[in-house]
Amino acid sequence: WKNGRNVLCLWAPNADLGRDPRWGRTEECFGEDPFLVGELVAAEVRGIQGDDPQYWRSAAVMKHFLANSNEDGRCFTSSDFDEALFRDYYSYGFWKGVRDGGARSLMCAYNKYNGVPCSVSDFIQEILVDEWGMDGQILNDGGALKQLVTMHHYADDVKQAVKMSVEAGITRILDQVSEEMAQAVAEGLLSEEIIDRNVRFNIRTMLRLGLMDSSERNPYRDMGFSDVAPWETAEHKELARQVTRKSVVLLKNEGELLPLDIKEVRKIAVIGNRAESVLKDWYGALPAYSVSALEGIKAAVEDEDVEVRFQAWDSDGKAQELAAWADVAIVCVGNHPMTSPDWKWEKIQAPWGEGTVAGDGREAVDRRSLELESEDLIKMVWKANPNTIVALISSFPYTIDWTQEHVPSILHVSQCSQELGNALADVIFGDYNPAGRTTQTWVKDILDLPGMLDYDIRNGRTYMYFKGEPLYPFGYGLSYTSFEYSRLKVRCQEDSVRLSFDLSNTGGRDGEDVVQLYVRFPGDDAAMRLRGFERVPVSEGETVRIDLVVPFEDLKLWDTEAGAFGLAGGRYEFLIGASSEDIRLSDSVAL
């Protein structure tokens, strides 16, 4: 914004869970684990709303409550599961956003929950308002009210849909239904008392935003910029570059092909349809500038005696010829976030609800395949030059089994960063040691997944219940250095458990490790549950002492009989590791 606050309510963060990689909006979510999602949702809420005790910078509107992780049929399908999964899994990230982040507003989902459309569910009043204390805007999604009539067949007409929604607790309707609402009041279907109750929720949000006073006490009253946009400054460009570096996940590095030695490599082939541009993700804004992978690689070697050549596809065998010429080939491939064709001579967005590639997805389009359409290009390049690096620039996990088996080095990074190319080059040439981690389980085959509408994750979803062998487990990511874990000490305190251990950098480079704390709960049917993580920098040859504190509140699971969260009697096993399948230390305590 410029010279004022033009954005006051942000429809973010997305607190939905990535329970299935076929979900078309996977790129919008933080991952498959509720604890991880809860921590990141709370952090984003705090970032949006600011830290003033009275006023908000902007209002965070979490979405989409609840269990909205299928796009096909989302306007009439039902997400069905028991109360324990409601509490421990699907609503957990929203609850953390309220409890730890201070969120007071959210948007309800299109789908049903156990047969009842979310925008008219009893959980709005009983859980969100009465139990969690939410007193800000509660929205339905665009078109959701009329879908109660046309898709869910839950209301007879729009007037009844208005009555149901407002009485349930919806305070802001995104459909144009003012005429029908007036008729519902005039005919006695909807009381003014209920409307007054709901309007108060919207007014509270306006008060916190400072819209109903001009007091100088509001630190955000005159927020804006005048001359130079923040994203045009060197400081913000460096921040964007650093964030993108940190997001890069090193999936494989056989024979230590990476990082490339710029003094040894003389000829680099950059190949692939994701090398030339930075693509906008579905709900992201177009960046003010962008650096593509090709541009970043060229910039990294511009002062060296290194030649970089580019070829998008293996047209007439040209990609293979280029790969054979090069010392190393870097293949940049991935999905198109707009599910659009790669037609350079015109910009075409696929129609709503349609996609041009089975493995692509977005809002209103679930993926029909987990295969990477361009994996055959990788095969052809590798055949011509085994020194092949794959840069997977994608919004989703893929079943890249062949690539994992044959290609020596694989990197993953997501879409839309203006500094994508520079950050990727920093990792490729060793100016930055990667430490990113997977936030979902990457399966080897689509057959490893239950049916898309099976919302009972106990039937084989997420690292907690997955029965197969993953391609890449949850929390996985490699480094250019190595780390050792030792000397674990677990201590029970008055209201928490404190874990201390040594983390040693035993390799030849400075680096970061993402230490992860999992817990096996007594009597729990989940393999383990994430309950802590920290990204820790450690210099070459150094050892640091790590302290992780787990409050007792985070060691409670939902007790259906008691109707509350509670500690289970018995021994809790605490597991420290570098991923959900790379546990280095463990100990147990009785609580």
Side-chain angles (χ1 to χ4, degrees):
W1 49 76
K2 186 172 183 178
N3 293 325
R5 298 165 69 202
N6 298 323
V7 180
L8 295 179
C9 293
L10 294 179
W11 292 359
N14 189 324
D16 294 316
L17 287 147
R19 67 178 180 102
D20 192 305
R22 290 170 292 189
W23 180 34
R25 300 180 79 167
T26 293
E27 75 171 7
E28 297 180 42
C29 79
F30 287 123
E32 72 182 21
D33 179 79
F35 182 85
L36 172 68
V37 170
E39 293 295 294
L40 297 180
V41 164
E44 185 171 352
V45 169
R46 291 192 295 267
I48 289 171
Q49 297 188 166
D51 55 8
D52 186 85
Q54 182 171 352
Y55 294 98
W56 286 344
R57 176 167 41 210
S58 295
V61 180
M62 301 181 296
K63 60 180 189 177
H64 313 79
F65 199 88
L66 177 79
N68 175 189
S69 56
N70 66 279
E71 294 304 295
D72 297 345
R74 65 182 181 169
C75 298
F76 56 83
T77 57
S78 182
S79 303
D80 300 335
F81 45 88
D82 59 30
E83 188 178 11
L85 287 180
F86 180 101
R87 298 290 188 159
D88 294 327
Y89 191 71
Y90 288 106
S91 73
Y92 191 90
F94 293 91
W95 175 61
K96 280 292 193 78
V98 174
R99 191 192 74 173
D100 298 345
R104 290 295 178 266
S105 299
L106 59 68
M107 175 186 288
C108 290
Y110 286 118
N111 54 280
K112 298 182 181 77
Y113 162 59
N114 287 353
V116 180
C118 289
S119 59
V120 295
S121 174
D122 290 343
F123 60 51
I124 297 176
Q125 285 297 323
E126 294 177 358
I127 296 177
L128 301 182
V129 176
D130 294 342
E131 185 179 325
W132 293 4
M134 298 194 71
D135 60 0
Q137 297 182 44
I138 299 177
L139 292 67
N140 61 6
D141 208 339
L145 186 139
K146 293 181 179 178
Q147 288 167 7
L148 292 172
V149 180
T150 61
M151 305 294 285
H152 287 295
H153 304 294
Y154 204 77
D156 294 332
D157 54 31
V158 174
K159 284 189 295 184
Q160 187 183 21
V162 168
K163 170 183 169 64
M164 288 180 171
S165 300
V166 175
E167 289 184 345
I170 296 297
T171 74
R172 185 176 174 191
I173 296 172
L174 300 190
D175 292 14
Q176 295 295 326
V177 291
S178 56
E179 183 177 337
E180 290 87 347
M181 181 172 288
Q183 291 174 356
V185 173
E187 295 173 13
L189 296 175
L190 183 62
S191 72
E192 292 189 20
E193 288 77 13
I194 292 294
I195 293 176
D196 288 345
R197 178 198 70 180
N198 291 16
V199 166
R200 289 188 178 95
F201 285 68
N202 298 335
I203 291 175
R204 289 189 195 101
T205 300
M206 297 167 68
L207 287 169
R208 287 172 175 137
L209 289 168
L211 297 181
M212 302 181 75
D213 67 63
S214 57
S215 170
E216 294 184 357
R217 294 173 298 176
N218 183 357
Y220 309 120
R221 187 185 66 167
D222 299 319
M223 186 173 61
F225 62 89
S226 54
D227 299 322
V228 180
W231 48 83
E232 294 177 356
T233 66
E235 178 186 3
H236 281 76
K237 288 180 180 180
E238 179 57 30
L239 177 60
R241 186 167 180 165
Q242 178 72 341
V243 168
T244 311
R245 289 184 191 117
K246 286 179 176 288
S247 73
V248 177
V249 184
L250 179 60
L251 296 173
K252 184 181 179 183
N253 196 26
E254 187 177 84
E256 297 186 348
L257 177 58
L258 287 173
L260 296 180
D261 187 340
I262 207 167
K263 301 299 182 182
E264 298 292 333
V265 175
R266 303 267 66 87
K267 297 179 290 185
I268 299 175
V270 178
I271 298 167
N273 63 327
R274 295 293 169 257
E276 286 187 286
S277 59
V278 174
L279 297 177
K280 174 185 180 295
D281 59 25
W282 177 242
Y283 265 122
L286 282 171
Y289 72 95
S290 63
V291 180
S292 70
L294 180 60
E295 291 169 334
I297 292 167
K298 286 184 174 180
V301 301
E302 64 180 354
D303 295 327
E304 306 292 336
D305 183 20
V306 178
E307 184 176 1
V308 178
R309 297 182 185 177
F310 170 70
Q311 175 68 30
W313 293 107
D314 194 32
S315 306
D316 299 326
K318 291 179 181 177
Q320 278 198 309
E321 292 177 11
L322 186 60
W325 161 84
D327 297 323
V328 63
I330 303 172
V331 184
C332 301
V333 289
N335 71 298
H336 197 300
M338 309 296 284
T339 65
S340 302
D342 286 315
W343 295 346
K344 291 184 179 180
W345 52 89
E346 56 183 329
K347 301 293 185 182
I348 293 181
Q349 179 176 304
W352 182 256
E354 302 291 340
T356 59
V357 175
D360 287 0
R362 59 167 176 156
E363 184 176 5
V365 184
D366 282 323
R367 303 168 70 198
R368 302 184 299 276
S369 171
L370 300 183
E371 295 182 1
L372 178 65
E373 179 200 29
S374 45
E375 191 166 32
D376 279 349
L377 175 63
I378 299 172
K379 294 177 181 179
M380 299 305 292
V381 171
W382 173 85
K383 182 179 180 180
N385 188 341
N387 290 328
T388 295
I389 300 163
V390 170
L392 183 59
I393 304 171
S394 75
S395 311
F396 310 101
Y398 283 92
T399 51
I400 50 171
D401 301 33
W402 186 94
T403 299
Q404 169 61 25
E405 181 179 354
H406 293 87
V407 174
S409 295
I410 308 169
L411 296 164
H412 177 259
V413 65
S414 192
Q415 313 275 2
C416 198
S417 167
Q418 60 266 47
E419 289 286 340
L420 188 151
N422 286 332
L424 194 60
D426 289 340
V427 172
I428 288 173
F429 294 106
D431 295 319
Y432 187 83
N433 190 349
R437 295 295 190 269
T438 56
T439 60
Q440 284 182 286
T441 301
W442 291 44
V443 300
K444 290 185 175 181
D445 194 291
I446 198 170
L447 296 177
D448 292 336
L449 297 172
M452 186 63 177
L453 288 180
D454 185 351
Y455 272 79
D456 186 344
I457 64 169
R458 303 183 190 95
N459 294 329
R461 293 194 191 281
T462 79
Y463 73 93
M464 293 186 286
Y465 297 101
F466 186 63
K467 305 303 181 185
E469 182 183 348
L471 181 64
Y472 307 115
F474 173 83
Y476 172 83
L478 303 176
S479 171
Y480 295 153
T481 190
S482 57
F483 296 94
E484 288 186 358
Y485 295 59
S486 62
R487 298 179 60 231
L488 173 62
K489 184 176 181 180
V490 181
R491 291 166 290 172
C492 283
Q493 303 182 144
E494 182 178 354
D495 57 357
S496 63
V497 176
R498 179 179 293 272
L499 300 97
S500 302
F501 61 96
D502 285 348
L503 178 66
S504 302
N505 184 337
T506 57
R509 291 174 176 267
D510 296 347
E512 298 171 308
D513 198 20
V514 180
V515 298
Q516 298 161 47
L517 167 61
Y518 297 88
V519 179
R520 288 197 180 111
F521 288 68
D524 187 18
D525 52 1
M528 62 182 74
R529 298 175 187 266
L530 183 71
R531 283 299 182 266
F533 58 91
E534 186 173 337
R535 188 170 183 140
V536 183
V538 188
S539 300
E540 175 189 352
E542 287 192 354
T543 296
V544 296
R545 190 70 177 168
I546 308 297
D547 285 309
L548 297 176
V549 177
V550 185
F552 285 166
E553 285 296 315
D554 288 344
L555 294 174
K556 295 179 179 180
L557 295 178
W558 186 255
D559 185 329
T560 303
E561 291 187 8
F565 287 100
L567 288 170
R571 297 196 71 83
Y572 286 71
E573 187 174 4
F574 294 86
L575 312 169
I576 303 289
S579 83
S580 59
E581 292 206 347
D582 185 7
I583 302 301
R584 310 287 183 87
L585 302 169
S586 65
D587 200 355
S588 63
V589 295
L591 296 179

